[in-house]
Amino acid sequence: MAYIPRRRQSRSFGITIPGLGKLNKQKLGMYVGVGLVGMIIFGFVCAFGLFAWYGRDLPQPGKLSEARGSSTVFYDREGEIIYEMYKDKNRIPVEGDEIPEMLKQATVAIEDKRFYEHKGVSEFGILRAFFNNYVLGNPQGGSTITQQLIKNVLLSSERTLPRKIKEAILAFEVEKRYTKDEILTMYLNENPYGGSFWGVGSAARGYFNKDPKELTLVEAAILAGLPQSPSRYSPFIGEEGAWKVRATDVLRRMEEDEYITEDQEEAAVKQLDKVKFSSEQLSITAPHFIFYLRNQIEEEFGPAVLNQGIEVKTTLDLEMQKKAEKIIKDEIEDLEKYDVGNGALVALDPKNGEIISYVGSYDYNNEAYGKFDVVSQGNRQPGSTLKPIEYATAFEKGYTPATVLMDVETTFPNQGGDDYVPKNYDGKYHGPTQIRFALGNSFNVPAVKMLAMIGLRDFLQQSYDMGLTSLEPTQENIDNLGLSASLGGGETTLLELVSAYSVFANEGTKTEIQGILEIKDHNGKSIYKKKKPVEKEVLSPEISFLISHILSDNNARVATFGTGSYLQVPGKTVAVKTGTTDDKKDNWAVGYTNGITLGVWVGNNDGQVMNPAIASGATGASPIWHNFMVELLKKYDDGIMEKPDDVEAVTIDAYLGGLPKDGNPTRSEYFIKGTEPTDISPYYKTFDGKEYIVINETDPISTDGKNRWQEAIDAWAASQSDERFKNAGDKVKAESENISLSIKSPGNETTVNTNDVEVKVKISTDSTVKRVRFWINDEEKKTLETDSKDITEKFNLPDGKYTIKIQAWNDKDKSSDSSIKIGVNQPWN
């Protein structure tokens, strides 16, 4: 028998599925394929059904050729009309052959590069928008020119799936009915181009006083860039210089798509600096406020929503707005001799953040200055208006309005690479100065010292928390600003600065800025309603009260401003602070009451210096602030916040701030409980039966061991006629090696209503702290090996009566101690 080779048995791979037995590989593939086909068919059926459902009662694409649009009306808070936009539709329809090819190319390049290839909807654009919106978190549209045309004319701008589906259906239909050139022509006639300009015919006339066919390449690029965000890019009402950046992008895209050569692109970009626009005259109340809101509405709902006709009820008080515009215009025109070119103001309700008045520039139609919105776009140096925030930060660290700082000529080395020797506004130095008067009179040396003592980072953090976003405590800001930040070395906008001052007026609570109360569509349906504002406590009520009381104390600013400045309103209680930069480029007045916060700026948009004779409190921003505050207080409440229970008045030594001494003059001062003085000022010394005044300050920024602060104090003391400052000799030097200690909280002979007792200690010494020891009822509780001069420790104590004693040593082996008596959840005695 012939040999028959044995057939190799194939190995079977299968899957066992309950009820079906074992499936081999071929059958499994068949089932999967059938399943996939089924899913695809099911998906097509669902998509067809979805499109059929949303395709019901769609507008007719034929209406695209009809000019359409309703007016958008802005109302004030009482329902009075401020401005009606597009009422008469500033539109000049243009035929396709009258539109230059370069404008069409520029539009396609920047808006929809595949316009001539797709059938109305760009699959790539949809995927790109999805990826940017939901993966990268960068909002971006994926609409084609055809879809944008439909959105502008036939549909609303709401961002919903049904609307996008309708838009896609209509896009396919429109592409069937019209040629690409017809679609592009309609699009160019239906686009918003900023202000009241609708369509390229109106825009070409409005911006360049030309017909579209006369436009140059540069002008065409400028117009093509506007529709994406007309309020932002418009040369008349947009952000300064934004149109130029956008036009540069358009030219780059045209070169990339080979509509122009690289040489043409480079030549056109150079010509952007030479472009001259027509002079636009606009008769409108609160123009910058309207365009500020319009920009917000465009960002939220898209630019086309304004053409569809909406009603916007704003927070503006039209009566006050008209008075503000007249006051600021009259004053700026009167300031011509001081080389002042522009002015701006904004008033907020501090309780809810609502904008009451808003003047972005004194004359909107002024060719040199008018179009720029200083209120929200002008980043300027705020000068001394930042000092209240600095001292508020100091109060959080235990300093008080009675803390003494030496106002003497002092050198602060290596500030921005140079030595910094700040001067005061009046050109004088004032010796020992308590914070109340340092802030009220806006003395500069104490402010710089205090910033060095509290730390730049903490000051910037407090400023940022109060709403000054440009002063975020980044390392870059810390490196760039240095101690000049205490005198307004950074930059901020008037709107943010007024919002920050509203924190003081609102008892330490920051409230979100709001300009819109309600928006209704053209059918009267509400599409937006103001919600309860976002609130956050960023400062304690106690500190807010201390700052407000100082800023409303006319006696505290007499040395600098006199008794009759514009910073007081007769018969009213108002808190106010001025600011002027050293180079006289910016002049400010910002103040508030319980009912209103008002800020005013004057200067020049181009940063040109004003006449050095301009003086805070007498000229510039202060008269505008005063005159408008007088009008506001006829309608809004005056006064500052009520004194919190944890703030008390104490009689103190009027000169050095401790408890009254002998027959020295006294005054009353407010303190947060636990920070009030418990003894006479430590600056009073007695040697051999003779009294001296020995003031010591430590230089916290010295890097070479030199105490420049003390050197400046010693030089000042030697020049004084008061013998108490002189001739202490070696005894004073020996005293400088000593150490003193004070317990800042709890207060002596007080009741603490918690078992977790927080003890705050402040140590003063020219030497280095070495050791701190705590005793409670004569039992040693804790020893710290530390060089810190500000110490906070927490002890858990049962209800009862306690004596807390603290002792500190420095590296000269000098020591000091202090003790207090308290009750925990019961009276101390």
Side-chain angles (χ1 to χ4, degrees):
M1 181 182 293
Y3 173 75
I4 300 175
R6 187 178 176 186
R7 180 179 292 178
R8 197 175 203 175
Q9 189 172 358
S10 64
R11 185 174 296 174
S12 175
F13 293 88
I15 298 174
T16 302
I17 299 177
L20 294 178
K22 195 169 188 180
L23 294 178
N24 61 28
K25 189 174 182 181
Q26 291 81 3
K27 288 184 178 181
L28 178 62
M30 181 184 70
Y31 283 120
V32 170
V34 171
L36 287 173
V37 171
M39 289 173 66
I40 293 170
I41 294 172
F42 179 75
F44 275 114
V45 171
C46 289
F48 180 80
L50 197 63
F51 273 70
W53 172 262
Y54 285 117
R56 303 168 303 135
D57 304 321
L58 282 173
Q60 290 300 312
K63 290 185 178 180
L64 283 169
S65 57
E66 303 171 10
R68 173 191 173 276
S70 305
S71 63
T72 286
V73 185
F74 290 83
Y75 299 90
D76 87 332
R77 61 190 307 109
E78 302 298 333
E80 294 290 325
I81 293 178
I82 304 174
Y83 180 53
E84 192 161 0
M85 189 177 291
Y86 310 134
K87 181 178 180 180
D88 299 315
K89 205 69 167 201
N90 189 2
R91 184 206 302 270
I92 305 173
V94 181
E95 296 296 328
D97 57 4
E98 297 175 341
I99 301 174
E101 198 65 24
M102 72 181 74
L103 177 56
K104 296 179 181 179
Q105 293 169 346
T107 300
V108 169
I110 195 66
E111 292 289 346
D112 184 3
K113 66 180 297 180
R114 295 185 61 249
F115 172 68
Y116 292 104
E117 302 167 19
H118 62 65
K119 301 298 181 182
V121 176
S122 171
E123 297 84 356
F124 177 77
I126 293 172
L127 291 174
R128 185 184 67 244
F130 178 86
F131 183 76
N132 278 281
N133 285 325
Y134 299 106
V135 178
L136 298 182
N138 299 322
Q140 187 181 89
S143 298
T144 64
I145 283 176
T146 310
Q147 289 174 282
Q148 291 180 56
L149 172 62
I150 290 163
K151 181 171 61 177
N152 285 346
V153 178
L154 296 180
L155 298 175
S156 71
S157 296
E158 59 181 340
R159 296 177 179 178
T160 62
L161 180 61
R163 204 271 299 157
K164 294 297 289 184
I165 293 174
K166 292 177 182 179
E167 184 183 285
I169 296 171
L170 284 169
F172 286 122
E173 287 298 316
V174 166
E175 292 275 347
K176 290 179 182 177
R177 296 193 184 197
Y178 300 99
T179 66
K180 288 287 187 178
D181 197 57
E182 288 173 332
I183 293 171
L184 187 55
T185 298
M186 287 187 284
Y187 172 81
L188 291 168
N189 274 297
E190 291 291 340
N191 259 341
Y193 284 88
S196 58
F197 305 138
W198 203 263
V200 292
S202 173
R205 280 285 181 189
Y207 290 118
F208 304 112
N209 197 27
K210 293 181 177 181
D211 289 329
K213 59 186 177 183
E214 299 171 320
L215 293 171
T216 66
L217 170 60
V218 173
E219 292 163 346
I222 292 170
L223 292 188
L226 297 180
Q228 185 189 73
S229 184
S231 290
R232 178 181 303 158
Y233 297 128
S234 168
F236 290 160
I237 64 175
E239 298 174 6
E240 188 173 23
W243 65 269
K244 193 179 296 184
V245 175
R246 180 67 171 166
T248 302
D249 289 341
V250 173
L251 291 166
R252 174 180 54 81
R253 294 291 295 272
M254 290 182 75
E255 190 277 331
E256 290 173 352
D257 293 346
E258 299 182 351
Y259 290 123
I260 59 175
T261 66
E262 188 173 340
D263 289 342
Q264 288 176 303
E265 178 197 3
E266 290 178 0
V269 169
K270 290 178 181 177
Q271 292 172 28
L272 286 173
D273 290 329
K274 302 176 183 178
V275 171
K276 294 191 180 301
F277 296 99
S278 302
S279 176
E280 183 194 33
Q281 294 289 312
L282 183 65
S283 178
I284 174 177
T285 302
H288 293 101
F289 175 69
I290 295 298
F291 298 132
Y292 166 75
L293 295 186
R294 193 178 119 158
N295 193 41
Q296 292 182 347
I297 293 169
E298 283 184 349
E299 289 182 1
E300 179 65 25
F301 299 99
V305 70
L306 295 162
N307 185 43
Q308 294 163 4
I310 56 175
E311 295 181 357
V312 184
K313 187 173 185 180
T314 74
T315 60
L316 199 78
D317 185 322
L318 188 57
E319 176 190 4
M320 289 294 117
Q321 177 69 21
K322 290 178 179 178
K323 291 179 179 179
E325 291 183 1
K326 183 178 188 310
I327 288 169
I328 201 167
K329 190 172 192 297
D330 290 347
E331 186 65 25
I332 293 300
E333 290 175 349
D334 194 47
L335 284 172
E336 186 176 353
K337 57 183 175 290
Y338 290 100
D339 302 321
V340 175
N342 199 13
L345 70 76
V346 65
L348 303 177
D349 184 326
K351 303 299 182 188
N352 54 31
E354 293 178 1
I355 298 172
I356 302 300
S357 300
Y358 188 119
V359 181
S361 284
Y362 89 96
D363 180 5
Y364 181 81
N365 290 312
N366 180 286
E367 239 180 86
Y369 296 107
K371 303 301 184 291
F372 185 64
D373 181 0
V374 177
V375 170
S376 63
Q377 297 175 2
N379 281 304
R380 315 293 300 208
Q381 290 193 345
S384 294
T385 59
L386 294 187
K387 286 176 183 172
I389 302 176
E390 177 191 337
Y391 285 112
T393 310
F395 292 162
E396 280 195 328
K397 294 178 177 291
Y399 296 96
T400 75
T403 296
V404 173
L405 298 166
M406 284 298 289
D407 182 22
V408 294
E409 185 174 4
T410 308
T411 298
F412 300 87
N414 300 321
Q415 299 300 308
D418 299 316
D419 287 352
Y420 180 39
V421 185
K423 308 292 183 183
N424 284 323
Y425 191 75
D426 59 4
K428 303 174 183 177
Y429 296 100
H430 308 87
T433 306
Q434 296 173 41
I435 283 180
R436 173 173 290 272
F437 303 100
L439 174 56
N441 289 294
S442 199
F443 294 154
N444 288 335
V445 177
V448 177
K449 286 184 173 181
M450 183 51 73
L451 182 56
M453 293 158 69
I454 63 175
L456 178 57
R457 184 181 296 276
D458 287 352
F459 164 64
L460 292 178
Q461 184 65 59
Q462 185 64 62
S463 302
Y464 182 71
D465 290 344
M466 292 176 70
L468 303 181
T469 57
S470 62
L471 297 182
E472 185 177 2
T474 61
Q475 193 59 50
E476 182 181 6
N477 272 339
I478 291 170
D479 294 340
N480 290 341
L481 293 175
L483 295 180
S484 67
S486 64
L487 309 184
E491 291 186 341
T492 188
T493 65
L494 178 58
L495 185 60
E496 287 194 349
L497 187 60
V498 172
S499 178
Y501 268 65
S502 291
V503 172
F504 294 127
N506 197 27
E507 303 183 19
T509 298
K510 175 173 171 50
T511 305
E512 184 182 22
I513 299 170
Q514 301 194 77
I516 299 174
L517 297 175
E518 186 177 14
I519 301 176
K520 294 181 179 179
D521 65 15
H522 60 280
N523 294 319
K525 179 183 176 183
S526 180
I527 59 176
Y528 169 83
K529 270 193 177 181
K530 175 198 162 186
K531 299 175 182 176
K532 187 178 186 301
V534 176
E535 296 181 340
K536 181 181 180 183
E537 184 175 302
V538 295
L539 206 61
S540 74
E542 291 78 15
I543 292 174
S544 299
F545 172 78
L546 293 181
I547 294 294
S548 299
H549 194 270
I550 294 171
L551 295 184
S552 63
D553 181 0
N554 200 49
N555 290 326
R557 53 175 171 254
V558 167
T560 296
F561 299 99
T563 57
S565 73
Y566 281 107
L567 304 183
Q568 56 179 330
V569 178
K572 305 292 184 181
T573 299
V574 295
V576 60
K577 184 74 187 70
T578 63
T580 305
T581 54
D582 288 342
D583 53 15
K584 300 287 186 177
K585 288 184 178 180
D586 301 284
N587 181 246
W588 310 74
V590 189
Y592 56 91
T593 67
N594 286 322
I596 200 76
T597 309
L598 169 64
V600 179
W601 168 89
V602 301
N604 293 296
N605 286 25
D606 58 4
Q608 290 296 310
V609 299
M610 296 175 284
N611 190 312
I614 200 161
S616 289
T619 53
S622 298
I624 298 171
W625 182 89
H626 171 91
N627 294 340
F628 189 43
M629 184 60 87
V630 168
E631 295 298 328
L632 286 167
L633 294 183
K634 294 176 182 178
K635 193 168 185 177
Y636 297 91
D637 293 338
D638 81 318
I640 61 171
M641 61 178 284
E642 295 291 326
K643 180 183 78 65
D645 292 339
D646 279 344
V647 173
E648 58 184 1
V650 177
T651 300
I652 63 170
D653 176 12
Y655 187 45
L656 294 179
L659 291 180
K661 180 184 182 301
D662 304 332
N664 286 4
T666 62
R667 68 179 186 86
S668 181
E669 183 56 270
Y670 283 111
F671 296 87
I672 300 173
K673 288 181 180 178
T675 67
E676 66 275 11
T678 58
D679 202 347
I680 65 169
S681 169
Y683 297 143
Y684 291 113
K685 306 291 184 184
T686 301
F687 301 119
D688 300 327
K690 186 176 179 181
E691 183 181 280
Y692 295 89
I693 297 177
V694 182
I695 299 177
N696 295 313
E697 287 182 348
T698 301
D699 183 348
I701 61 171
S702 176
T703 58
D704 57 7
K706 291 183 67 175
N707 187 345
R708 291 172 178 80
W709 295 17
Q710 192 61 47
E711 289 174 359
I713 293 171
D714 293 343
W716 173 87
S719 70
Q720 299 303 299
S721 58
D722 188 338
E723 291 297 321
R724 293 180 299 172
F725 288 102
K726 299 180 180 179
N727 303 321
D730 293 338
K731 294 175 182 178
V732 174
K733 183 179 180 182
E735 180 69 18
S736 69
E737 297 180 352
N738 285 343
I739 182 171
S740 64
L741 178 151
S742 62
I743 301 174
K744 294 298 183 181
S745 68
N748 186 33
E749 299 181 351
T750 60
T751 298
V752 179
N753 297 315
T754 176
N755 294 108
D756 291 321
V757 179
E758 190 173 71
V759 181
K760 292 186 177 181
V761 182
K762 184 166 186 63
I763 302 169
S764 297
T765 179
D766 283 347
S767 302
T768 302
V769 176
K770 185 169 64 175
R771 183 185 310 111
V772 181
R773 189 167 290 166
F774 294 80
W775 288 269
I776 298 178
N777 287 348
D778 296 326
E779 180 183 351
E780 185 177 333
K781 288 291 186 181
K782 180 174 287 190
T783 297
L784 301 176
E785 302 294 334
T786 178
D787 60 1
S788 176
K789 294 180 180 180
D790 291 283
I791 296 172
T792 300
E793 288 293 323
K794 189 174 287 186
F795 298 93
N796 185 268
L797 302 177
D799 295 354
K801 304 169 188 176
Y802 296 91
T803 297
I804 300 176
K805 177 183 174 183
I806 306 169
Q807 187 171 8
W809 288 262
N810 64 15
D811 61 359
K812 306 294 184 184
D813 286 327
K814 303 283 187 177
S815 69
S816 175
D817 63 73
S818 182
S819 62
I820 59 172
K821 293 182 179 181
I822 64 168
V824 175
N825 293 320
Q826 66 181 62
W828 68 274
N829 59 355

